[in-house]
Amino acid sequence: HQNDYLILKKKLVVSAVLTALILIGSMTSLLSGLPLGTHFWLFVLTIPVQFWVGAQFYRSAWAMARHGSSDMNTLIVVGTSAAFLYSTMAVFATGFFVSMGQKPQVYFDTAAVIITLILLGRMLEARAKGRTTAAIRHLLQLQPKTARLLRQEKEITLQIDQVQAGDVVVVRPGEQIPVDGVVLSGTSSVDESMLTGESLPVEKQTGDPVTGATTNTTGAFTFRATKVGSETALARIVNLVRQAQGSKAPIQRLADTVASYFVPAVIVTAVLTFAVWFVAGPEPGLNFAIMNFVAVLIIACPCA
């Protein structure tokens, strides 16, 4: 996840710089003095944003399309591609618009801003997952590697994975408790801050529960192991964090569900728009049909 974060961060920096130039060029005459005109250089600046920075959206959208479905990536791809292709046509096929008595308009800034903003969200998500991975690693490091067991009135040291439920475990001052259990004899104070966040140690005596990876402070005691391996509180916490890390938030699942219906609906609407304008629209019918077909995609998908 750290590697994903660094890659996204690099892409975001490039995308943000190019998008800033595109926005400035779109709203001012900064690029008008260059050869070939402002629109051509906006086209050049948008290419890396659309196809290098946005490559991951295309890959994800294609993967969904192969399974006959769509998600938020499909919305991003359809919307930004429509804006980019329409604007490219405005740059290199100016006569197409002149034939309808219209001045060519470009929407390179729309495509670039959408990709940059979505990428910012993806980068923040990757950073959060990276921190979660670090938290899991830290949690796993809390558990001791060995445990001191009392067998036939003798103390023996075993690897933590060899401890079984029912074993009697000895814990000395300053040691970490290896597994979950119940105190058999002795009294002590246990630092449970890793589990509860409470900084004050908790007094433990016969019959009280103790949790693996917490720290014994003052006294020595023995306890009977009740939960070991994947059943300990620590193992269950780690498992829950991993599950949360690999799952989507409810609002994200809802967005993907809506997109799976919305994308086909928008495409059908765009096709119907094309057909109506081509058949019943003014001349040149093909030109008006194409322009309104693209307009539906440009407006609907980025807004969604």
Side-chain angles (χ1 to χ4, degrees), residues 15 20-21 56-57 61 63 69 88 94 101 104 118 139 174 191 224 228 245 260 291 293 302:
S15 184
L21 291 174
Q56 66 189 73
F57 304 126
S69 185
T88 301
T94 308
I118 299 295
L139 282 173
D191 180 358
R224 186 175 303 280
V228 298
Q245 185 184 38
S260 67
M291 188 172 73
F293 167 80

Side-chain angles (χ1 to χ4, degrees), residues 144-149 156-160 163 169-170 176 178-179:
K145 301 294 187 290
T146 60
R148 189 179 295 103
L149 305 186
I156 60 172
T157 301
L158 296 177
Q159 294 296 313
I160 193 71
V163 179
V169 184
V170 179
Q176 287 182 303
V179 295

Side-chain angles (χ1 to χ4, degrees), residues 13-28 30-31 42 45 49 109 112-113 116:
V13 170
V14 174
S15 184
V17 170
L18 291 175
T19 299
L21 291 174
I22 293 166
L23 285 172
I24 293 170
S26 299
M27 294 184 291
T28 67
L30 180 67
L31 303 177
L42 292 177
L45 290 170
V49 178
D109 53 343
V113 167
T116 301

Side-chain angles (χ1 to χ4, degrees), residues 250-295:
I251 190 66
Q252 193 175 3
R253 288 196 297 269
L254 175 62
D256 283 339
T257 301
V258 171
S260 67
Y261 293 99
F262 184 81
V263 173
V266 168
I267 292 175
V268 169
T269 303
V271 171
L272 288 174
T273 301
F274 178 89
V276 170
W277 277 88
F278 183 71
V279 173
E283 291 295 331
L286 178 63
N287 291 20
F288 279 107
I290 290 175
M291 188 172 73
N292 287 288
F293 167 80
V294 175

Side-chain angles (χ1 to χ4, degrees), residues 35 37-38 53 60 80 103 107 133 155 167 170 177 217 229 241 245-246 250 262 264 292:
T38 298
V53 177
S60 298
T80 59
K103 182 181 179 181
Y107 299 95
T133 301
E155 291 186 11
D167 281 342
V170 179
I177 299 170
T217 58
V241 173
Q245 185 184 38
F262 184 81
N292 287 288

Side-chain angles (χ1 to χ4, degrees), residues 171-184:
V171 182
R172 294 173 179 168
E175 293 182 342
Q176 287 182 303
I177 299 170
V179 295
D180 297 2
V182 177
V183 177
L184 290 176

Side-chain angles (χ1 to χ4, degrees), residues 20 54 134 144 150 186 202 208 219 231 240 251 256 302:
L150 190 62
V202 179
D208 288 341
E231 296 180 351
L240 286 170
I251 190 66
D256 283 339

